[in-house]
Amino acid sequence: MKTRPGLTVDKIAQAAAALADEVGFEGVTLSALARSFGVKDASLYSHVKNIQDVRTRVALLAAEEMSAELAVAIAGRSAEDALVAFADTYRAFALRYPGRYAATQMRLDLEQIADEKGFVRNIELTYAVLRAYDLEEPDLTDAVRFMRSTFHGFINIESAGGFGHPRNLDESWRKTVAAVHSVLRQWPRTKAA
Protein backbone atom coordinates (compact mmCIF):
# COMPACT_ATOMS: atom_id res chain seq x y z
CA MET A 1 0.00 0.00 0.00
CA LYS A 2 1.47 3.34 -1.03
CA THR A 3 1.61 6.01 1.65
CA ARG A 4 2.77 9.60 1.68
CA PRO A 5 6.43 9.81 2.72
CA GLY A 6 6.80 11.16 6.23
CA LEU A 7 3.23 10.44 7.29
CA THR A 8 3.35 8.52 10.58
CA VAL A 9 1.02 7.62 13.42
CA ASP A 10 2.84 10.08 15.69
CA LYS A 11 2.51 12.91 13.16
CA ILE A 12 -1.19 12.15 12.76
CA ALA A 13 -1.68 12.21 16.55
CA GLN A 14 0.22 15.51 16.86
CA ALA A 15 -1.81 17.07 14.03
CA ALA A 16 -5.04 15.80 15.56
CA ALA A 17 -4.08 17.27 18.94
CA ALA A 18 -3.32 20.65 17.37
CA LEU A 19 -6.60 20.49 15.44
CA ALA A 20 -8.49 19.60 18.63
CA ASP A 21 -7.08 22.68 20.36
CA GLU A 22 -8.18 24.79 17.40
CA VAL A 23 -11.67 23.41 16.63
CA GLY A 24 -12.53 21.33 19.69
CA PHE A 25 -11.97 17.65 20.34
CA GLU A 26 -15.29 16.61 18.78
CA GLY A 27 -14.42 18.62 15.67
CA VAL A 28 -11.48 16.36 14.82
CA THR A 29 -12.37 14.30 11.75
CA LEU A 30 -10.37 12.13 9.39
CA SER A 31 -11.30 14.46 6.52
CA ALA A 32 -9.96 17.51 8.35
CA LEU A 33 -6.76 15.66 9.24
CA ALA A 34 -6.29 14.44 5.67
CA ARG A 35 -6.71 18.02 4.41
CA SER A 36 -4.06 19.24 6.85
CA PHE A 37 -1.60 16.76 5.34
CA GLY A 38 -2.70 17.39 1.76
CA VAL A 39 -3.79 13.78 1.25
CA LYS A 40 -7.03 11.89 0.71
CA ASP A 41 -8.84 10.35 3.69
CA ALA A 42 -7.87 6.87 2.51
CA SER A 43 -4.17 7.69 3.01
CA LEU A 44 -4.71 7.89 6.77
CA TYR A 45 -6.18 4.39 7.00
CA SER A 46 -2.78 2.81 6.45
CA HIS A 47 -1.73 4.42 9.75
CA VAL A 48 -4.89 4.55 11.90
CA LYS A 49 -8.00 2.38 12.12
CA ASN A 50 -10.67 5.05 12.41
CA ILE A 51 -11.50 8.33 14.14
CA GLN A 52 -11.83 6.55 17.49
CA ASP A 53 -8.25 5.33 17.11
CA VAL A 54 -7.12 8.90 16.39
CA ARG A 55 -9.01 10.28 19.40
CA THR A 56 -7.54 7.63 21.67
CA ARG A 57 -4.06 8.55 20.43
CA VAL A 58 -4.76 12.23 21.16
CA ALA A 59 -5.94 11.30 24.67
CA LEU A 60 -2.75 9.33 25.31
CA LEU A 61 -0.55 12.08 23.88
CA ALA A 62 -2.32 14.69 26.00
CA ALA A 63 -2.02 12.53 29.12
CA GLU A 64 1.71 12.20 28.50
CA GLU A 65 2.15 15.95 27.97
CA MET A 66 0.05 16.83 31.01
CA SER A 67 1.88 14.27 33.17
CA ALA A 68 5.24 15.76 32.22
CA GLU A 69 4.08 19.22 33.30
CA LEU A 70 2.48 17.93 36.51
CA ALA A 71 5.59 15.96 37.47
CA VAL A 72 7.78 19.06 37.20
CA ALA A 73 5.24 21.17 39.11
CA ILE A 74 4.90 18.88 42.13
CA ALA A 75 8.51 17.67 42.36
CA GLY A 76 9.83 18.22 45.89
CA ARG A 77 6.47 19.44 47.19
CA SER A 78 3.98 17.84 49.53
CA ALA A 79 0.60 18.43 51.12
CA GLU A 80 -0.97 21.80 50.30
CA ASP A 81 2.05 23.00 48.28
CA ALA A 82 1.80 19.92 46.04
CA LEU A 83 -1.96 20.31 45.71
CA VAL A 84 -1.68 23.98 44.69
CA ALA A 85 1.10 23.23 42.18
CA PHE A 86 -0.89 20.32 40.76
CA ALA A 87 -4.10 22.35 40.53
CA ASP A 88 -2.47 25.38 38.92
CA THR A 89 -0.64 23.24 36.36
CA TYR A 90 -3.79 21.22 35.64
CA ARG A 91 -5.78 24.41 35.03
CA ALA A 92 -3.05 26.04 32.92
CA PHE A 93 -2.79 22.97 30.70
CA ALA A 94 -6.57 22.80 30.25
CA LEU A 95 -6.83 26.47 29.29
CA ARG A 96 -3.79 26.42 27.01
CA TYR A 97 -4.76 23.16 25.26
CA PRO A 98 -8.57 22.90 25.41
CA GLY A 99 -8.84 20.11 22.82
CA ARG A 100 -6.12 18.02 24.38
CA TYR A 101 -7.63 18.58 27.81
CA ALA A 102 -11.03 17.40 26.52
CA ALA A 103 -9.27 14.30 25.20
CA THR A 104 -7.93 13.53 28.68
CA GLN A 105 -11.53 13.32 29.91
CA MET A 106 -12.39 10.64 27.37
CA ARG A 107 -13.30 7.24 28.76
CA LEU A 108 -10.67 4.74 27.65
CA ASP A 109 -10.48 0.95 27.81
CA LEU A 110 -8.15 0.47 30.78
CA GLU A 111 -6.89 -2.91 29.61
CA GLN A 112 -6.02 -1.51 26.20
CA ILE A 113 -4.01 1.39 27.62
CA ALA A 114 -2.57 -0.17 30.80
CA ASP A 115 0.98 0.06 29.43
CA GLU A 116 0.73 3.66 28.25
CA LYS A 117 3.25 5.55 30.37
CA GLY A 118 1.62 8.99 30.17
CA PHE A 119 -1.77 7.71 31.23
CA VAL A 120 -0.36 5.62 34.09
CA ARG A 121 1.88 8.50 35.20
CA ASN A 122 -1.08 10.87 35.28
CA ILE A 123 -2.88 8.54 37.70
CA GLU A 124 0.25 8.06 39.81
CA LEU A 125 0.80 11.81 40.11
CA THR A 126 -2.79 12.41 41.15
CA TYR A 127 -2.53 9.79 43.89
CA ALA A 128 0.90 11.11 44.92
CA VAL A 129 -0.58 14.53 45.63
CA LEU A 130 -3.18 12.95 47.91
CA ARG A 131 -0.67 10.77 49.78
CA ALA A 132 -0.11 13.55 52.32
CA TYR A 133 -3.74 13.33 53.40
CA ASP A 134 -3.32 9.75 54.70
CA LEU A 135 -6.32 8.38 52.84
CA GLU A 136 -6.85 4.68 52.21
CA GLU A 137 -9.22 2.94 49.83
CA PRO A 138 -12.06 3.47 49.21
CA ASP A 139 -11.63 7.02 50.55
CA LEU A 140 -8.64 7.64 48.29
CA THR A 141 -10.64 6.93 45.14
CA ASP A 142 -13.50 9.08 46.42
CA ALA A 143 -11.08 11.94 47.13
CA VAL A 144 -9.55 11.68 43.65
CA ARG A 145 -13.04 11.87 42.14
CA PHE A 146 -13.91 14.85 44.32
CA MET A 147 -10.72 16.73 43.43
CA ARG A 148 -10.92 15.94 39.73
CA SER A 149 -14.60 16.89 39.42
CA THR A 150 -14.06 20.15 41.33
CA PHE A 151 -11.17 21.22 39.12
CA HIS A 152 -12.89 20.03 35.95
CA GLY A 153 -16.11 21.84 36.80
CA PHE A 154 -14.36 25.13 37.46
CA ILE A 155 -12.29 24.84 34.28
CA ASN A 156 -15.31 23.96 32.12
CA ILE A 157 -17.31 26.91 33.38
CA GLU A 158 -14.30 29.22 33.00
CA SER A 159 -13.61 27.99 29.45
CA ALA A 160 -17.21 28.58 28.45
CA GLY A 161 -17.15 32.12 29.84
CA GLY A 162 -19.79 31.12 32.37
CA PHE A 163 -18.44 33.13 35.29
CA GLY A 164 -20.10 36.48 34.64
CA HIS A 165 -19.32 38.12 37.97
CA PRO A 166 -16.49 40.69 37.89
CA ARG A 167 -14.66 38.90 40.75
CA ASN A 168 -11.15 37.95 39.62
CA LEU A 169 -11.12 34.31 38.43
CA ASP A 170 -7.64 33.64 39.78
CA GLU A 171 -8.79 34.69 43.26
CA SER A 172 -11.80 32.37 42.99
CA TRP A 173 -9.50 29.57 41.80
CA ARG A 174 -7.18 30.05 44.79
CA LYS A 175 -10.16 29.88 47.17
CA THR A 176 -11.43 26.75 45.41
CA VAL A 177 -8.08 24.99 45.73
CA ALA A 178 -7.81 26.05 49.39
CA ALA A 179 -11.29 24.64 49.98
CA VAL A 180 -10.29 21.34 48.35
CA HIS A 181 -7.28 21.22 50.71
CA SER A 182 -9.52 21.83 53.73
CA VAL A 183 -11.96 19.13 52.68
CA LEU A 184 -9.17 16.61 52.07
CA ARG A 185 -7.74 17.29 55.53
CA GLN A 186 -11.13 16.58 57.08
CA TRP A 187 -12.18 13.78 54.76
CA PRO A 188 -14.92 11.58 56.27
CA ARG A 189 -13.21 8.21 56.73
CA THR A 190 -14.93 4.97 55.77
CA LYS A 191 -15.24 2.76 58.83
CA ALA A 192 -13.72 -0.69 58.58
CA ALA A 193 -16.31 -3.44 58.16
Side-chain angles (χ1 to χ4, degrees):
M1 185 177 287
K2 187 175 180 181
T3 61
R4 182 180 177 98
L7 194 60
T8 65
V9 172
D10 288 341
K11 285 183 181 178
I12 292 169
Q14 286 285 348
L19 184 61
D21 291 331
E22 185 181 321
V23 301
F25 186 55
E26 294 302 319
V28 175
T29 64
L30 288 174
S31 294
L33 278 172
R35 277 192 305 276
S36 75
F37 286 108
V39 299
K40 300 219 182 274
D41 295 13
S43 297
L44 298 180
Y45 286 110
S46 59
H47 301 283
V48 295
K49 295 177 198 167
N50 51 35
I51 193 61
Q52 186 62 30
D53 183 22
V54 171
R55 288 183 176 153
T56 298
R57 290 175 189 279
V58 171
L60 296 174
L61 172 69
E64 191 170 318
E65 292 172 341
M66 180 185 267
S67 293
E69 291 186 23
L70 290 170
V72 169
I74 69 170
R77 299 174 190 262
S78 65
E80 187 174 14
D81 286 343
L83 177 67
V84 170
F86 181 96
D88 289 349
T89 303
Y90 187 93
R91 178 181 177 222
F93 184 91
L95 296 176
R96 190 170 64 251
Y97 301 117
R100 291 171 212 235
Y101 174 72
T104 67
Q105 305 306 307
M106 182 177 140
R107 185 183 175 122
L108 299 170
D109 180 351
L110 295 180
E111 286 182 21
Q112 186 181 14
I113 61 164
D115 294 331
E116 295 293 336
K117 291 181 181 129
F119 180 78
V120 172
R121 186 75 175 128
N122 204 301
I123 294 168
E124 290 171 348
L125 291 167
T126 303
Y127 279 79
V129 166
L130 295 181
R131 202 171 290 130
Y133 297 97
D134 295 323
L135 298 169
E136 295 180 15
E137 292 297 352
D139 295 327
L140 186 56
T141 294
D142 294 340
V144 167
R145 289 175 176 171
F146 163 72
M147 183 177 81
R148 186 174 163 209
S149 61
T150 301
F151 295 164
H152 180 70
F154 189 103
I155 290 163
N156 271 0
I157 295 169
E158 179 179 9
S159 296
F163 291 125
H165 193 278
R167 167 96 165 127
N168 181 283
L169 281 174
D170 291 336
E171 291 298 323
S172 294
W173 176 255
R174 280 191 277 283
K175 292 276 188 173
T176 299
V177 176
V180 168
H181 170 67
S182 293
V183 169
L184 290 172
R185 283 182 38 208
Q186 300 170 31
W187 194 263
R189 312 288 169 156
T190 300
K191 294 181 182 174

